[in-house]
Amino acid sequence: MRRALILAATAGLLAGCGGQHRGSAAGPPEKDVRLTSCVLSRKLHAGVVHGVITNTAGRAAGYVVQIDIIDGGGNPVDTALHAETEVAPGANVKFSASGVQTYNGKITCRVASVQRTPR
């Protein structure tokens, strides 16, 4: 019984912290984001990124995802951002984000950072 009370009290303290959380019992928020494609727009010559956010936290959360767009030489040439105000626990949300810099050549993308904010 005492163990259950301690766990419940600890969970209550953690849930009441507020603010932005870079991690939780669900694991680091970067694990919640998977990129599915990274292409150069033929029309705009800017990077376009598609991905999926899967909320592994036990409650609804907002997400801010920053993606680095990398040129063929391995140098970051642009950044794409995407935000979701509320993703239900266990839900999958597809997203797309675009860079603003124009360039030619091959690109790759990587998740630079993810902020998950409990709602």
Side-chain angles (χ1 to χ4, degrees):
M1 177 74 173
R2 182 177 179 181
R3 186 177 189 185
L5 289 174
I6 291 171
L7 289 174
T10 303
L13 286 173
L14 291 174
C17 288
Q20 294 184 352
H21 298 274
R22 291 204 37 87
S24 73
E30 290 80 7
K31 298 269 186 191
D32 290 2
V33 177
R34 179 175 52 93
L35 301 182
T36 57
S37 71
C38 173
V39 297
L40 194 61
S41 165
R42 291 181 188 179
K43 236 181 178 179
L44 302 174
H45 298 284
V48 178
V49 183
H50 296 277
V52 177
I53 297 169
T54 302
N55 183 353
T56 61
R59 60 193 276 196
Y63 286 82
V64 177
V65 181
Q66 178 181 338
I67 300 127
D68 286 339
I69 300 172
I70 314 296
D71 69 11
N75 303 304
V77 292
D78 203 356
T79 299
L81 296 172
H82 179 76
E84 288 289 335
T85 57
E86 190 165 334
V87 179
N92 294 314
V93 175
K94 293 180 181 180
F95 71 90
S96 62
S98 299
V100 295
Q101 300 295 323
T102 59
Y103 40 89
N104 294 309
K106 294 186 179 194
I107 60 168
T108 58
C109 297
R110 69 175 174 230
V111 175
S113 69
V114 178
Q115 292 181 339
R116 178 177 57 214
T117 306
R119 297 286 177 208

